Amino acid sequence: NQENMQFQKAWFYNEYGPTEVLHCGEYPVPELGANQVLVRVRAAALNPVDFKRRNGLFKDIDSEFPAVPGCDMAGVIVDQGDDVTKFCKGDEVYGNIQNFTSGTPKQCGTLTQYTAVEESLIALKPGNMSFEEAASFPLALQTAQEAFDRVNFQKGQTVFIVGGAGGVGSLAIQLAKYVYGASDIATTTSTAKMSFVKKLGADMVMDYTKESYEQITEKFDFVFDTVGDSHSSYVLAKDGGQIIDIANGSPHDKALFFMVTPSGNNLERLRGYIECERLKPVIDPASPHVFSNVVEAFHHLESGRARGKIVISSID
């Protein structure tokens, strides 16, 4: 297949380290596995796992260098492996292509022109979304969805979401309200973002610059900590309540840490909510960044100041 001999433009790094290790240049188009499709990437999104990987967090299981960062993408299928049955060339799809829970992460991520991904990890892009909007969803949306599923969240239960304005938190609020039927949704954010998280569906907002968890008298069925603060936020859980912390590999004793298992079926489960706009993408005001601006986009992500997701447009 001549396609596989071709080179493409991509962002990659040849060593672990800060944003300065990223380079933009020529990179081979990945070879297709039998169960994979080749996607022309039309938009990608950044997630904290991308810089954690670049900093060497997964070095024990990681792919070889040069590695292309990026988990999230939306784009158009241009080629397919022999065993692919669900999709065909020309389909507009989206998904999180990296599974950090099994085996080696892909060497070629999504900050590139073309990427290869298993058909089981992608779903058809909802028709009401742009490629940039769709790219913002997969990893963060699946992470929030898996958290609610892991605690077997029931309609009418209450949830406290630590970090309501972030990539995962802003989607967790919407999932709690419209998909999982929470009766009470509380969250934390900074002063400037309080009205923003209320618009997303939070009933109560704690300004973490002025208040501490101890000052909140209510206790919750589920504490979902998206910022790694479970050693303090655990106090908000009811007796017998459940705590998940997705940002601290050494969470409080009562809290569970997990890394998301990507799944096209899980995205498909939410299609109806996305198409009727119950679930809306939350994209940082500075996005989408042009492809040449990836280093600046990572700086913004790593500052912790983004509001929602950071999205990168395609090369052209």
Side-chain angles (χ1 to χ4, degrees):
N1 187 341
Q2 214 45 48
E3 179 100 14
N4 295 341
M5 304 308 294
Q6 291 180 357
F7 281 79
Q8 58 174 333
K9 280 265 184 303
W11 283 93
F12 55 86
Y13 50 92
N14 282 300
E15 59 181 321
Y16 294 123
T19 47
E20 287 71 28
V21 301
L22 286 164
H23 301 283
C24 189
E26 298 284 297
Y27 195 87
V29 173
E31 293 195 17
L32 273 190
N35 65 342
Q36 291 184 323
V37 295
L38 190 68
V39 177
R40 171 73 170 93
V41 178
R42 301 311 309 266
L46 304 186
N47 291 279
V49 72
D50 296 317
F51 69 76
K52 291 175 182 175
R53 181 185 179 193
R54 195 196 66 227
N55 287 332
L57 184 65
F58 302 101
K59 61 176 181 289
D60 297 339
I61 61 161
D62 214 343
S63 69
E64 296 171 11
F65 295 124
V68 173
C71 302
D72 284 333
M73 64 82 202
V76 181
I77 295 177
V78 294
D79 199 2
Q80 64 193 76
D82 294 340
D83 297 347
V84 170
T85 57
K86 288 206 290 210
F87 302 97
C88 52
K89 285 181 198 174
D91 282 348
E92 297 184 350
V93 295
Y94 74 131
N96 163 15
I97 75 162
Q98 293 286 20
N99 187 351
F100 290 97
T101 67
S102 79
T104 303
K106 292 179 176 68
Q107 189 172 2
C108 183
T110 60
L111 294 179
T112 182
Q113 287 175 292
Y114 297 93
T115 197
V117 57
E118 293 75 16
E119 69 169 343
S120 61
L121 300 187
I122 57 174
L124 288 173
K125 178 177 78 66
N128 60 325
M129 298 175 90
S130 68
F131 285 109
E132 283 87 0
E133 288 171 329
S136 78
F137 260 160
L139 186 144
L141 189 59
Q142 290 169 343
T143 302
Q145 179 186 34
E146 185 172 334
F148 284 102
D149 289 346
R150 277 176 176 261
V151 302
N152 193 23
F153 194 88
Q154 299 297 308
K155 191 172 186 224
Q157 286 188 311
T158 60
V159 61
F160 192 102
I161 296 160
V162 183
V168 174
S170 58
L171 297 174
I173 292 171
Q174 298 179 67
L175 282 169
K177 190 172 183 75
Y178 297 114
V179 179
Y180 291 93
S183 61
D184 189 20
I185 303 164
T187 192
T188 64
T189 194
S190 58
T191 317
K193 298 173 186 169
M194 288 184 74
S195 64
F196 167 68
V197 294
K198 280 188 178 143
K199 280 201 191 88
L200 292 174
D203 301 301
M204 192 273 281
V205 185
M206 174 189 125
D207 181 344
Y208 69 77
T209 66
K210 297 178 180 161
E211 263 188 292
S212 70
Y213 302 120
E214 281 75 19
Q215 289 169 273
I216 294 168
T217 51
E218 192 187 341
K219 303 293 183 204
F220 296 83
D221 294 306
F222 178 28
V223 175
F224 184 20
D225 194 321
T226 71
V227 305
D229 205 18
S230 57
H231 289 276
S232 304
S233 63
Y234 78 94
V235 301
L236 294 166
K238 287 179 178 174
D239 285 345
Q242 299 191 74
I243 308 165
I244 283 181
D245 185 339
I246 55 163
N248 188 339
S250 307
H252 187 269
D253 291 345
K254 293 181 178 170
L256 168 77
F257 168 82
F258 76 90
M259 294 204 68
V260 67
T261 302
S263 150
N265 286 342
N266 281 351
L267 289 176
E268 199 52 46
R269 268 170 61 199
L270 296 173
R271 170 185 292 276
Y273 298 99
I274 295 168
E275 290 187 332
C276 75
E277 299 191 356
R278 283 295 197 201
L279 292 176
K280 293 180 180 162
V282 183
I283 295 175
D284 183 74
S287 287
H289 294 262
V290 294
F291 192 79
S292 56
N293 235 14
V294 158
V295 172
E296 289 82 354
F298 267 113
H299 278 304
H300 186 39
L301 176 68
E302 292 173 57
S303 76
R305 299 276 180 273
R307 193 177 86 187
K309 292 303 307 265
I310 294 172
V311 178
I312 311 293
S313 295
S314 65
I315 289 174
D316 43 30

